[in-house]
Amino acid sequence: RNPLHFHFITDSIAKQILASLFHTWMVPAVRVDFYDADELKSEVSWIPNKHYSGIYGLMKLVLTKTLPSDLQKVIVLDTDITFATDIAELWAVFQQFKGQQVLGLVENQSDWYLGNLWKNHRPWPALSRGFNTGVILLLLDRLRKLRWEQMWRLTAERELMSMLSTSLADQDIFNAVIKQNPFLVHQLPCFWNVQLSDHTRSEKCYRDVSDLKVIHWNSPKKLRVKNKHVEFFRNLYLTFLEYDGNLLRRELFGCPSETDHNSENLQKTLLELDEDDPCYEFRRERFTVHRTHLYFLHYEYESSADQTDVTLVAQLSMDRLQMLEAICKHWEGPISLALYLSDAEAQQFLRYAQGSEVLMSRSNVGYHIVYKEGQFYPVNLLRNVAMKQVNTPYMFLSDIDFLPMYGLYEYLRKSVVQLDMAHTKKALVVPAFETLRYRLSFPKSKAELLSQLDMGTLFTFRYHVWTKGHAPTNFAKWRTATTPYRVQWEADFEPYVMVRRASPEYDRRFVGFGWNKVAHIMELDAQ
């Protein structure tokens, strides 16, 4: 059995995403530690770097200083690596190191360091083709004894006097050090780092699929790189992504690992449930830990300084994807969405989003994947996941089937000031309407909406099936109202509301359809 210990150098956002993913994944025999990249920037920020990885591409240089002093050896990987074999095989290669060898590296598979790619191309010094640093075996204890920190710094300072900057980040400096100290390297067979960059010789590393060990997408084009066998590699990678990640939670028989107390406590709690209870499956559901991948796509948004900003919050499954573009067109403010998807559906969503100009033009939409598990739709858990990622003072709790009126985002922000939301406990009820028609001319004003109500094109929401759900909104008064008015909570009231970010979470014991919003609105009123 080979337990895995991940050491991630991350910024605060990546740490939040990865910590949540590993915590909810609960993979046996896996331990994770994080190191703050911001604290390391000063160590390498003096090195000009032209590589697209920026300052983060230089941080491998400081691992001897960053990682725990009692950590003797590590496998260092770029994040664009795909393993096609057991990583324990690579770990075993450490036993082959001899003499003063402290770095296990694969030769670079392009002609970059030969300096013949174009006229006047002048790379950093390297032994022959040089080495690629996407996969490194590091003997940390020996490197520290060799005063690695001083070694790479002196080399970098010397070469930068003539080279002025690095082109391939840490790789240039590693190679310059190796040029002066070739005894440091144990050369790995090239199948441990099959490099799919432009002008690569990667096909010389394998004859058959069984020869593949590690695939390295080291071109800025990533999956779109031009390579003789790229279609095969791409399919291999995408097939892996679509596997059910929950399979990794299950330990093989006869392969015990260190006790995971979280998992142990969960199992103990589940055993205490009565399987003969008619509600057993429902009770069990509230203890289900769903893998959660926060910020599945790029998100970048800073709340406005005036403390009136509002985030639209909703949850959805695969069959509601078509609503996303419409909502984005109606709501220009930030959005936090929890999507309940399988691993395969998550990849379908990724392709859908990347193919949408509307979605790709927005960086203020946070997509949070909650992976499917169990037989129930965890509606309130999804809402809570989306709510927890809101970074504005207020949130509009909506459902994915609703389109906000044009201008609602700005209207709600103005209402924050007008109704003194900052200093009073209020929930703003946004009246909800529905149509039974497949196509509808969306009303651009209250007058148009009233006209459609009178014509029977629109109805107050759930008027035909559950009048009590929205009756306290008092639609009769709303028709003639020109300013906000107060309404009283009544039993079964389930409006769509704007509230403070610090409002109570939804009760995750509610799954599937029914009463989930009713219970939440009742708690809001009680508080």
Side-chain angles (χ1 to χ4, degrees):
R1 182 67 175 185
N2 299 291
L4 291 173
H5 187 171
F6 290 98
H7 299 266
F8 288 113
I9 296 177
T10 65
D11 61 14
S12 58
I13 297 171
K15 179 182 177 181
Q16 178 191 6
I17 295 168
L18 290 169
S20 170
L21 183 60
F22 277 97
H23 176 71
T24 56
W25 204 335
M26 300 174 67
V27 182
V30 168
R31 178 180 165 188
V32 181
D33 282 305
F34 295 95
Y35 306 86
D36 189 352
D38 289 335
E39 293 182 2
L40 306 180
K41 286 181 179 178
S42 61
E43 301 281 345
V44 291
S45 59
W46 57 275
I47 304 172
N49 179 28
K50 293 179 180 177
H51 193 257
Y52 65 87
S53 59
I55 195 169
Y56 297 97
L58 296 163
M59 290 187 177
K60 291 179 204 164
L61 295 166
V62 296
L63 290 180
T64 53
K65 191 174 181 180
T66 305
L67 297 176
S69 58
D70 60 347
L71 190 61
Q72 296 184 348
K73 54 188 176 182
V74 290
I75 297 173
V76 184
L77 303 172
D78 282 355
T79 55
D80 52 3
I81 290 288
T82 302
F83 263 83
T85 191
D86 187 346
I87 195 172
E89 293 180 33
L90 181 56
W91 186 260
V93 176
F94 275 117
Q95 298 174 8
Q96 301 173 16
F97 280 38
K98 298 176 181 177
Q100 291 183 287
Q101 292 176 344
V102 290
L103 302 168
L105 292 162
V106 170
E107 185 180 55
N108 203 46
Q109 289 157 21
S110 79
D111 292 346
W112 178 271
Y113 287 109
L114 298 180
N116 59 10
L117 290 182
W118 58 80
K119 189 177 181 180
N120 298 324
H121 172 50
R122 184 166 168 252
W124 275 55
L127 279 177
S128 185
R129 292 186 171 276
F131 294 93
N132 183 279
T133 56
V135 177
I136 315 175
L137 272 61
L138 277 187
L139 282 178
L140 291 170
D141 52 345
R142 291 192 197 172
L143 273 172
R144 292 181 182 116
K145 290 175 183 176
L146 289 170
R147 302 181 71 181
W148 167 254
E149 186 80 14
Q150 184 179 11
M151 189 183 294
W152 75 257
R153 281 180 179 273
L154 289 173
T155 302
E157 288 170 358
R158 182 183 68 245
E159 297 300 333
L160 283 170
M161 292 177 69
S162 58
M163 298 302 298
L164 304 182
S165 67
T166 60
S167 294
L168 299 182
D170 67 85
Q171 185 168 298
D172 285 338
I173 297 173
F174 269 100
N175 274 290
V177 172
I178 292 166
K179 175 81 170 178
Q180 297 293 317
N181 306 277
F183 57 86
L184 296 176
V185 178
H186 174 85
Q187 185 167 336
L188 303 175
C190 68
F191 51 65
W192 283 117
N193 185 352
V194 178
Q195 300 149 38
L196 302 185
S197 57
D198 295 327
H199 315 295
T200 185
R201 303 162 71 243
S202 59
E203 68 273 8
K204 297 183 181 295
C205 294
Y206 53 88
R207 292 181 181 177
D208 193 70
V209 177
S210 59
D211 296 334
L212 292 169
K213 301 289 188 183
V214 176
I215 301 158
H216 187 185
W217 302 88
N218 62 320
S219 164
K221 301 171 187 173
K222 301 306 175 190
L223 298 187
R224 297 187 299 276
V225 68
K226 292 181 180 179
N227 181 278
K228 186 176 180 180
H229 299 126
V230 70
E231 197 63 33
F232 171 79
F233 291 123
R234 189 187 295 120
N235 288 336
L236 181 71
Y237 172 71
L238 294 176
T239 300
F240 172 75
L241 287 184
E242 293 185 3
Y243 284 151
D244 182 359
N246 287 322
L247 295 173
L248 294 178
R249 287 176 163 178
R250 303 171 189 170
E251 283 199 274
L252 297 175
F253 292 108
C255 296
S257 62
E258 293 182 26
T259 302
D260 182 331
H261 295 294
N262 288 333
S263 180
E264 194 177 57
N265 292 336
L266 177 61
Q267 291 302 318
K268 183 179 179 181
T269 302
L270 293 176
L271 288 172
E272 291 173 354
L273 296 177
D274 180 5
E275 293 190 28
D276 295 327
D277 182 349
C279 295
Y280 170 75
E281 293 296 338
F282 284 97
R283 299 192 197 284
R284 192 181 192 282
E285 173 62 28
R286 66 176 156 150
F287 298 111
T288 299
V289 180
H290 292 267
R291 273 182 304 137
T292 304
H293 187 158
L294 303 177
Y295 301 103
F296 191 70
L297 299 179
H298 175 68
Y299 178 83
E300 190 172 351
Y301 184 76
E302 286 191 22
S303 182
S304 63
D306 64 6
Q307 294 298 302
T308 65
D309 219 342
V310 187
T311 299
L312 186 150
V313 173
Q315 45 74 35
L316 67 150
S317 53
M318 195 69 179
D319 60 345
R320 291 293 189 272
L321 276 189
Q322 74 277 5
M323 291 298 299
L324 294 181
E325 287 191 354
I327 288 176
C328 285
K329 291 176 182 177
H330 280 248
W331 179 275
E332 65 270 29
I335 303 173
S336 183
L337 299 171
L339 297 88
Y340 193 54
L341 306 173
S342 67
D343 292 75
E345 287 172 341
Q347 295 308 308
Q348 292 174 38
F349 162 67
L350 177 61
R351 292 191 287 272
Y352 171 81
Q354 290 175 335
S356 166
E357 288 186 19
V358 174
L359 301 189
M360 286 294 97
S361 68
R362 296 283 294 269
S363 60
N364 64 346
V365 181
Y367 300 98
H368 314 295
I369 307 294
V370 177
Y371 287 97
K372 285 183 176 179
E373 185 173 359
Q375 59 178 306
F376 299 111
Y377 185 81
V379 59
N380 277 357
L381 170 69
L382 295 171
R383 288 181 172 129
N384 289 341
V385 168
M387 282 172 58
K388 286 176 182 176
Q389 303 313 313
V390 169
N391 65 346
T392 57
Y394 301 94
M395 51 190 180
F396 173 40
L397 306 179
S398 185
D399 273 342
I400 199 67
D401 288 331
F402 282 89
L403 289 180
M405 76 173 196
Y406 292 111
L408 181 61
Y409 171 61
E410 288 299 335
Y411 183 88
L412 290 177
R413 291 185 63 179
K414 291 175 182 175
S415 299
V416 168
V417 178
Q418 292 171 356
L419 299 174
D420 194 24
M421 294 281 289
H423 303 102
T424 55
K425 275 193 172 183
K426 290 190 181 81
L428 300 191
V429 175
V430 178
F433 304 88
E434 67 177 322
T435 181
L436 303 179
R437 300 194 177 187
Y438 180 68
R439 294 183 181 278
L440 174 76
S441 175
F442 197 89
K444 295 181 175 61
S445 65
K446 183 175 180 179
E448 282 190 27
L449 191 149
L450 288 172
S451 174
Q452 292 182 3
L453 278 172
D454 293 337
M455 292 171 60
T457 307
L458 286 181
F459 303 93
T460 55
F461 184 56
R462 304 202 74 197
Y463 169 77
H464 298 89
V465 292
W466 185 242
T467 309
K468 294 170 68 176
H470 292 264
T473 300
N474 194 347
F475 287 100
K477 183 170 183 176
W478 178 84
R479 290 181 70 99
T480 57
T482 56
T483 57
Y485 57 93
R486 185 183 180 92
V487 297
Q488 294 293 330
W489 173 84
E490 295 177 18
D492 303 328
F493 193 25
E494 52 176 0
Y496 297 94
V497 295
M498 184 186 83
V499 292
R500 294 180 186 175
R501 179 177 57 188
S503 296
E505 292 185 355
Y506 288 85
D507 187 338
R508 69 160 292 182
R509 290 176 297 178
F510 287 90
V511 294
F513 178 79
W515 307 110
N516 43 74
K517 288 199 303 294
V518 169
H520 186 245
I521 294 297
M522 182 185 294
E523 185 171 359
L524 281 177
D525 179 69
Q527 292 197 15

